[in-house]
Amino acid sequence: MTEQNNNGLQYSDFQKLVLMLPQVYDIFLGGGRGGSKSYTIVLLILRLVWEFKRKARILVVRKTYKGLADIEGLFLEVFRLVYGKAVKFNQSEHVFRFPNGAYLELGQLEGPGDYDKYQGRSFTMLVVDEAQQYATPELLDRLRSNLRGPKDMPIRQIMAANPGGPGHYWLARRYVFQAKPWEPFFDENSKRTWVYAPSTYKDNPFIDQSEYEEQIRASCPHDEELLRSWLEGDWAVARGAFFASVLEEKRNAVDNWEHLPTIPYGADSSSKWHYFLAHDFGSSAPSVTYLIAKSPGDQAPDGKYYPRGSLVLIDELATSVPGQPSHGLGWTIDRLADGITDMWKRWKLKGKPTGCADDACFAAHGHKSGSIADELKAHGVTFQRAKKGSRQYGWEVMRRLLADAGKMDKPGLYIARRCGYFWETVPYLSRDPRNPEDLDSREPDHSADAVRYGCTYKKAQIVPFSPMG
């Protein structure tokens, strides 16, 4: 259903619900493609301009100026419909000036350097369109410091995004799974009350819905999860993500082991569990290390049977800033080695920690100590190169193991629930828009990389441990 006013503007039922929300609430316009989010933003802006006149100062940002072109054209069309030529538009500055003194600016915000042009300025409404293009929230959080206004008018932030994309994981965590749609909730990051207002193409009566659905289906004919994400606006854990069709909590997540399987007396090597590390190095970015158990085809301490060749991620060391999975803690090599050694010893494994790491760890970096791998070895942690091969090959192996988890006759990949960084990041990782067979490397893929190395590693050795542990 739609409603039209005397200015020629039309309102859908979804847009009327959004306009009914108290203006002290911030809004997350999340949902599928074609849900009329951009037009809803226009209506919210027009109401603010009409009610608060010259006090209304609005900033709308996207990641690139090219991305602003479509929404800028929509703004110009609708504003001219309402105000005619009385609304002035400076194309070079991307600024609209309304006859009642209200001010609207469209801007590009891609990196920290772009923020300089907004620093110290004040706006009463901030709008972030296509927010899923931001892999992390830090830049948008900083922009929020520009949200200031007189005491007698509300200040507000509007975020609009589709599921998928580099920012899927943090948007879902912050705004989608905090409360039911249309139910206000308090966000600790902004210290503000938000409302999640979802829509899909079915909420947009201004398009040919059948034709639009056909276009979406044609754009992803072989990815049912991505299709559901775009059509239904579903932000559930893995919808539309790289591992969506192969990673499921009920199959791949396993209970935490309290100890390692006991080795039967006199058992040969083929009937023993193998243990090794898989490591992805980072400093400003997180380092991620997994302790992996390779099954001989046996029952584990959690009571679950793991077919021969199955890999179980039983423990994790991730040096990420809490709540910021793309940012590392900046640990030194000796501190990292100590952390890895502590994890190794915690499982009563004997000898020095050993396993595989990415090729970058073995590249000389100009120091007399040699490579990262050399430095770690000097501190008691030995890594070998993971199997060489393309990223796509590694992802194929990893996806196959994830998909086969739960099958009694095939090896699978299983992840303990204590591996929090894995569950925080891997299910949300998106495809590279230029190469759908690869991950989008702009996202926090450090955990996925470490697991990929482990899945292709062929030199796992039997490591003795104390069965009394």
Side-chain angles (χ1 to χ4, degrees):
M1 297 293 292
T2 63
E3 180 178 291
Q4 185 168 342
N5 65 8
N6 55 11
N7 289 318
L9 298 180
Q10 293 181 303
Y11 303 82
S12 67
D13 290 341
F14 163 73
Q15 288 155 353
K16 285 188 283 185
L17 284 174
V18 172
L19 290 167
M20 288 171 61
L21 293 171
Q23 294 193 62
V24 294
Y25 292 166
D26 292 348
I27 305 175
F28 179 62
L29 298 171
R33 294 196 168 191
S36 69
K37 292 184 286 294
S38 295
Y39 194 81
T40 304
I41 289 171
V42 174
L43 296 177
L44 289 167
I45 289 172
L46 280 173
R47 183 176 66 178
L48 190 75
V49 168
W50 179 78
E51 288 187 13
F52 294 97
K53 302 178 176 58
R54 66 176 59 253
K55 294 180 181 179
R57 296 186 59 84
I58 304 148
L59 175 64
V60 180
V61 298
R62 275 192 175 181
K63 197 165 187 180
T64 65
Y65 277 121
K66 184 177 180 181
L68 284 172
D70 288 343
I71 196 169
E72 190 172 77
L74 175 63
F75 282 6
L76 185 60
E77 177 185 351
V78 177
F79 295 161
R80 287 279 167 84
L81 178 66
V82 176
Y83 290 100
K85 294 183 178 180
V87 62
K88 304 300 181 184
F89 176 55
N90 186 317
Q91 188 170 8
S92 62
E93 296 181 357
H94 305 279
V95 168
F96 288 89
R97 290 181 172 84
F98 295 86
N100 60 11
Y103 173 94
L104 185 151
E105 179 177 342
L106 295 97
Q108 174 247 5
L109 184 67
E110 185 170 9
D114 298 316
Y115 176 72
D116 293 344
K117 57 194 171 200
Y118 307 117
Q119 191 167 10
R121 300 173 62 191
S122 298
F123 299 93
T124 58
M125 176 184 280
L126 294 178
V127 179
V128 181
D129 197 26
E130 302 289 350
Q132 77 277 0
Q133 294 181 1
Y134 294 88
T136 61
E138 289 79 22
L139 193 59
L140 301 182
D141 288 344
R142 186 186 305 179
L143 184 66
R144 192 177 179 92
S145 65
N146 297 79
L147 195 58
R148 297 184 291 270
K151 291 182 179 180
D152 57 347
M153 77 168 296
I155 58 173
R156 197 177 210 185
Q157 184 168 17
I158 310 296
M159 303 270 279
N162 297 316
H168 178 111
Y169 74 97
W170 70 266
L171 289 167
R173 186 177 66 247
R174 277 196 184 186
Y175 306 121
V176 177
F177 296 117
Q178 296 294 325
K180 297 178 182 179
W182 307 102
E183 183 176 289
F185 64 90
F186 183 76
D187 172 50
E188 286 290 343
N189 297 280
S190 61
K191 307 300 181 186
R192 295 271 298 177
T193 299
W194 283 75
V195 171
Y196 167 43
S199 65
T200 71
Y201 74 103
K202 293 181 179 179
D203 297 302
N204 186 355
F206 309 118
I207 61 173
D208 185 325
Q209 296 177 357
S210 297
E211 180 180 349
Y212 190 84
E213 180 178 343
E214 290 178 3
Q215 293 175 359
I216 294 296
R217 289 186 180 279
S219 67
C220 48
H222 305 299
D223 191 334
E224 287 297 321
E225 295 294 338
L226 182 60
L227 178 64
R228 291 178 64 181
S229 172
W230 285 354
L231 287 181
E232 300 176 17
D234 196 334
W235 292 80
V237 176
R239 300 288 166 77
F242 185 79
F243 295 106
S245 61
V246 295
L247 177 59
E248 295 181 16
E249 180 182 356
K250 63 181 180 182
R251 290 188 303 102
N252 300 106
V254 295
D255 294 338
N256 296 329
W257 294 8
E258 299 303 324
H259 57 82
L260 299 181
T262 302
I263 300 175
Y265 179 77
D268 59 24
S269 63
S270 65
S271 61
K272 295 179 181 178
W273 289 79
H274 292 55
Y275 305 98
F276 65 99
L277 301 171
H279 174 79
D280 184 66
F281 180 77
S283 178
S284 58
S287 286
V288 183
T289 311
Y290 288 103
L291 177 60
I292 301 179
K294 187 173 184 178
S295 173
D298 195 7
Q299 184 171 312
D302 61 354
K304 182 179 179 66
Y305 174 80
Y306 295 91
R308 177 180 292 275
S310 292
L311 302 179
V312 187
L313 278 58
I314 60 177
D315 208 349
E316 169 191 83
L317 175 66
T319 63
S320 66
V321 176
Q324 300 182 39
S326 292
H327 292 264
L329 294 170
W331 281 14
T332 58
I333 295 296
D334 56 341
R335 185 173 181 185
L336 177 62
D338 287 344
I340 294 172
T341 301
D342 289 343
M343 180 172 66
W344 187 264
K345 290 181 177 179
R346 188 163 62 243
W347 291 93
K348 311 300 181 184
L349 292 165
K350 297 179 180 179
K352 294 182 178 180
T354 183
C356 61
D358 57 299
D359 283 348
C361 278
F362 299 89
H365 50 64
H367 295 176
K368 61 181 180 180
S369 53
S371 66
I372 297 294
D374 292 330
E375 291 188 63
L376 286 168
K377 186 174 182 179
H379 288 86
V381 178
T382 302
F383 286 125
Q384 297 176 333
R385 293 177 187 267
K387 179 180 173 62
K388 291 184 178 180
S390 67
R391 282 170 58 90
Q392 288 89 335
Y393 167 77
W395 298 137
E396 181 182 347
V397 173
M398 182 174 169
R399 286 171 61 88
R400 184 171 65 248
L401 287 169
L402 285 168
D404 287 341
K407 299 177 181 178
M408 299 303 294
D409 58 341
K410 292 185 178 181
L413 176 59
Y414 303 85
I415 304 93
R417 295 183 182 276
R418 66 162 53 91
C419 298
Y421 188 76
F422 177 97
W423 292 113
E424 182 183 3
T425 59
V426 174
Y428 294 98
L429 297 174
S430 303
R431 298 178 185 275
D432 187 327
R434 295 161 296 185
N435 181 5
E437 301 304 317
D438 198 0
L439 284 179
D440 191 328
S441 60
R442 297 171 295 176
E443 300 184 23
D445 58 356
H446 319 290
S447 172
D449 281 336
V451 177
R452 173 165 58 91
Y453 307 143
C455 289
T456 58
Y457 185 51
K458 301 299 184 183
K459 298 181 180 180
Q461 301 294 318
I462 298 172
V463 177
F465 75 100
S466 169
M468 299 302 293

